[in-house]
Amino acid sequence: MLNIPPIIERITALLDQDTDQSVTYAALEARLALEKVCYDRLRQRHDYISHDQLKKWQPGQIVNTLMTDVDENVTETMTLMVGRNPDVKPEDDDFVEVGTEIGFDPKRISKMWQALAKLALHVRVPKNRDDAIADYGDKTAIRAKVEEVVEELRRLAKGTMTFSGIGMEVSFDCPACGEKNKRRAKLLRHGQQIHCINPNCKLTWKTEKQGEDFYFEPQTIDVNCESCRAECHLPWRYFMEMKHDEVGSFSCSCGHKNYVKWELAQVRPNSENEPAST
């Protein structure tokens, strides 16, 4: 888990210098600390989401993605306790605390993160030709925001452990790379796209829910080999990540190397009820 006290010491040491420069650097350290707090929650839960599906890197967005797809309790304070005697009923046992993960408000974290950048990490745009460009922002305002962050960091530093999430798992092995993919069953949605957890694998599945059971349908684009005409099932994401006019290739089981390219094509509708022809 993230070791927060040394981070707090760095920030407070910079605040103690009490110069425009040191307070600005303290704001940078505070902003990085907020990122680290959120990214540490991600790191502990990264077995349940592909890095490619983290559409935005901002701390608040990272946590929102985790809440939606990985662990709805990621921002909650949770304490793990175990019973002293496994042979008695839970309600009659004397429990021992193992550790606690301190929760936080992602909206508040995001607001502080953005405020630090606005106050300290951007040069003010001049209003006119005669407006001088200041070296640093308002020291008093920056200090107040940094101290607010430090207070939050001190609260989070009281945590003694981190969780990867709670709840039933659904898992399957990727047929292409063999990587085991795991998801929290409660957060799976019908029609949801899931990327293989292996960053070097391009396979994607669509989640299908039938009753209480989940099925994962591979998302492929079928292309016939130019040589033997066999149907090749290629990962959908392989094509979606190509740029316009980019040329890609794949080899058929017969050994022939095929080429594909994204191109703009003109189409002519055959009729209102028929598909267009190229």
Side-chain angles (χ1 to χ4, degrees):
M1 64 180 286
L2 182 64
N3 188 13
I4 298 179
I7 299 174
I8 296 174
E9 289 178 9
R10 286 201 301 270
I11 296 172
T12 54
L14 288 167
L15 290 178
D16 288 343
Q17 295 178 32
D18 199 30
T19 65
D20 288 343
Q21 186 180 52
S22 68
V23 171
T24 299
Y25 289 163
L28 174 59
E29 288 283 356
R31 196 168 192 256
L32 291 174
L34 294 177
E35 292 178 1
K36 291 174 183 177
V37 165
C38 295
Y39 296 165
D40 188 58
R41 301 291 165 108
L42 164 64
R43 184 175 63 85
Q44 301 297 336
R45 294 160 174 82
H46 229 320
D47 287 344
Y48 297 89
I49 188 169
S50 166
H51 186 77
D52 290 339
Q53 291 189 283
L54 299 171
K55 298 179 177 63
K56 296 183 179 180
W57 62 268
Q58 293 92 334
Q61 293 297 328
I62 288 285
V63 175
N64 287 336
T65 300
L66 291 178
M67 291 174 66
T68 301
D69 294 339
V70 181
D71 179 12
E72 61 184 348
N73 301 307
V74 66
T75 63
E76 302 295 325
T77 294
M78 295 182 288
T79 299
L80 177 64
M81 305 183 74
V82 296
R84 295 179 185 272
N85 190 343
D87 298 324
V88 301
K89 295 180 180 180
E91 58 268 25
D92 298 330
D93 202 356
D94 181 18
F95 285 86
V96 178
E97 181 175 324
V98 177
T100 297
E101 181 179 70
I102 304 297
F104 62 86
D105 182 352
K107 291 183 178 179
R108 182 166 181 250
I109 293 286
S110 183
K111 287 181 179 178
M112 289 191 294
W113 181 77
Q114 293 172 357
L116 287 170
K118 183 178 180 181
L119 289 170
L121 306 182
H122 295 296
V123 175
R124 183 177 60 81
V125 177
K127 297 179 181 179
N128 53 57
R129 182 185 180 91
D130 298 322
D131 191 8
I133 299 176
D135 290 333
Y136 301 101
D138 184 331
K139 188 177 73 170
T140 301
I142 296 171
R143 170 181 279 277
K145 186 57 63 175
V146 172
E147 289 175 344
E148 180 184 346
V149 173
V150 169
E151 181 181 354
E152 176 68 2
L153 292 175
R154 287 198 173 105
R155 188 184 69 84
L156 293 171
K158 296 176 182 177
T160 56
M161 71 177 298
T162 57
F163 293 85
S164 63
I166 54 177
M168 296 294 294
E169 289 182 357
V170 174
S171 65
F172 60 93
D173 294 329
C174 175
C177 69
E179 189 81 24
K180 179 178 287 293
N181 285 264
K182 301 181 293 184
R183 293 294 186 275
R184 296 292 180 192
K186 187 177 181 180
L187 297 179
L188 282 173
R189 305 180 299 278
H190 182 78
Q192 178 183 2
Q193 281 191 344
I194 291 177
H195 292 181
C196 181
I197 202 73
N198 183 350
N200 298 317
C201 182
K202 294 297 182 183
L203 277 195
T204 301
W205 295 269
K206 184 171 73 172
T207 304
E208 301 284 348
K209 186 174 183 181
Q210 298 180 8
E212 297 300 319
D213 298 323
F214 290 98
Y215 301 89
F216 300 93
E217 178 184 347
Q219 299 293 284
T220 61
I221 294 178
D222 302 329
V223 182
N224 293 106
C225 174
E226 184 183 34
S227 176
C228 70
R229 306 307 299 167
E231 193 172 63
C232 301
H233 307 290
L234 305 178
W236 166 85
R237 193 151 48 108
Y238 172 78
F239 292 98
M240 294 301 104
E241 292 179 357
M242 290 176 61
K243 299 177 182 178
H244 293 295
D245 294 326
E246 181 181 352
V247 176
S249 64
F250 67 92
S251 294
C252 178
S253 58
C254 73
H256 181 74
K257 190 172 186 177
N258 296 267
Y259 295 89
V260 293
K261 180 181 180 180
W262 269 117
E263 286 188 327
L264 178 67
Q266 185 178 20
V267 298
R268 182 188 307 112
N270 294 325
S271 71
E272 291 184 359
N273 299 320
E274 295 182 11
S277 61
T278 59

